[in-house]
Amino acid sequence: MVDRLQQRWGLRTDPVIFFVSAGLAVLFVVLSIAFTAEVDAVFAVVSGWILENLGWFYILGVTAFLVFLLWIALSRYGHVRLGARSDRPEFSNLAWFAMLFAAGIGTILMFWGVAEPISHFANPPMGDVAPESAEAATQALNFTLYHFALHTWTIFCLPALAFAYFAYRRRLPFRVSSIFQPLLGDRINGPIGKIIDVTAVVGTIFGVGVSIGLGTMQINSGLASLFGLPENATSQVAIIAVITGFALVSIGFGLHKGIKRLSNLNILMAVGLLIFVLVAGSTLYLTRGVIESTGNYLSSIVNLAFWNDTFAEPEWGWQGSWTVFYWAWTITWSPFIGIFIARISKGRSIKEFVLGVLGMPAAFSVIWFSIFGLSAIDVELERGGGIIEAVVEQGDPPGAMFAMFEHFPLTTFLSAVGILIVVIFLTTSKDSASLVLDLLCSGRSDEVSPTRQRVFWGLIVGAVAATLLAATGADGLAALEQVMIVVGLPFFVFGFLMIWSLLRALRSDVRITVSEVDTLAGDEPEDEEPQAARRE
């Protein structure tokens, strides 16, 4: 039946993956609207059980992934090129970074840049320092950088590396199931492979939906401060509809014209905003703070990477709402970011790829969160305060950035620019997500699929985001947290299996001695596959 539907509608995709994934997403939307209380209860119970029994697995998993990536980049495999001998990077380093930045964590930077540091400054995570003290400020920045620097980009980098290797070295389709070929062989084309791919597509829809939801809440808060727009479900659904319309226009221009232009524009605007905050704020204090925060982060990263809040009462009270939620949310949309990074990274060596994907965005995140976080703390300590009251006491994290802008010159202009940057970030995210969801279903990067397929996925992501915000009984952030903690679990299992599969492939494909290391950047002739790929 699905084959007949594919032919009737003129789709170029895997019909099973496409229709099952779309059906599950639509089913979630329908059930959430029709049975709101029951759906909320299920996610609340399951997420609670995962937090209590498997939260440690989420914490350990991301740190293990980071250790693996650093090892493989510095090992003899680091010189292996992600492509054939003649392949070279398609994008310059600057353009590559801009696309990583905009499609990766642009929305995160804007939403949490002030909200997380100020939250931890008011309520220190470890509870061992006085709130709103110098020690609390240090701890707040340490945790914020732990959440958004190396560890976040580790979650994106691992699947991106695996996608790039199996697509460009073994010439397999851009599907998550292709990554497991060394373990499953031809079964990646059977029911097991379909289940893996459907899980990846559905998880990506939810992960991107959460990002759209967070960005929408922030836009709503900004428009409320500028124009008095009510902060409610109706406003947020309308904002999502507008963002979806912008994204559909961008989809029509394709990867280079659409995403690249928006990415370059947005990174310039974001850097301009960052410089303005630095110059218009306490410049010397912020400059010293960036340097000190970098050192504090690097000296505390080992402790934070393994901290499980073991003696918390109740268990996982703090980490469940912060670290575990972050890791679960990030890993669900890691196939989206991973496949997008792989698409723009052909021709780079494993070492160049890993160090670039981990290093450049993480360095920018350190600078961004240090400047925005310390600016917010400076406002609280030296310039009248008010941000803690808005974010912590009134429970308005989406409005954190706009509350800080009230203490800067050109407040209205800054707020308008901030809203525009978030809008563009959401547009590039939806544009990229539509492209990637289409690839995850079709596996074909060498031909242009019908635009209506990408438009369809753009509409589905928008519908899920609207449902998470408007059709759940819990408040917006609570609903997003519960859903992500549940959906993220299978992706951590996938992560460890990716490591096993990638190592097995490398050991089969790259049989060298130390004296041959200079030849590793090469490959078999372009019309040949690695021997291991042919054997399997």
Side-chain angles (χ1 to χ4, degrees), residues 201 243 429:
V201 171
I243 296 297
S429 292

Side-chain angles (χ1 to χ4, degrees), residues 4-15:
R4 289 198 298 272
L5 285 174
Q6 179 194 26
Q7 294 173 2
R8 181 179 302 173
W9 294 348
L11 303 177
R12 290 203 291 271
T13 187
D14 184 296

Side-chain angles (χ1 to χ4, degrees), residues 163-186:
F163 275 125
Y165 185 85
F166 287 99
Y168 300 136
R169 295 280 298 189
R170 291 199 172 188
R171 299 174 179 87
L172 294 174
F174 272 104
R175 294 195 186 114
V176 175
S177 58
S178 297
I179 296 172
F180 302 108
Q181 187 217 29
L183 306 179
L184 299 175
D186 291 339

Side-chain angles (χ1 to χ4, degrees), residues 245-280:
F246 290 157
L248 297 184
V249 172
S250 180
I251 287 170
F253 286 97
L255 177 63
H256 290 76
K257 291 183 178 179
I259 300 174
K260 185 178 179 181
R261 288 178 180 175
L262 284 174
S263 298
N264 290 338
L265 170 64
N266 220 31
I267 194 170
L268 290 175
M269 292 176 62
V271 170
L273 181 63
L274 181 70
I275 293 173
F276 182 89
V277 171
L278 174 64
V279 173

Side-chain angles (χ1 to χ4, degrees), residues 419-461:
I419 292 171
L420 179 59
I421 291 173
V422 176
V423 168
I424 297 178
F425 275 139
L426 294 186
T427 301
T428 58
S429 292
K430 288 201 69 174
D431 187 332
S432 304
S434 300
L435 171 70
V436 169
L437 286 167
D438 190 46
L439 273 176
L440 288 172
C441 290
S442 69
R444 301 168 181 170
S445 63
D446 57 346
E447 62 180 61
V448 179
S449 61
T451 301
R452 59 181 174 274
Q453 289 179 200
R454 300 192 298 279
V455 169
F456 171 79
W457 289 120
L459 294 172
I460 285 290
V461 170

Side-chain angles (χ1 to χ4, degrees), residues 151-169:
H151 278 69
T152 282
W153 283 93
T154 290
I155 297 174
F156 296 148
C157 186
L158 177 60
L161 175 61
F163 275 125
Y165 185 85
F166 287 99
Y168 300 136
R169 295 280 298 189

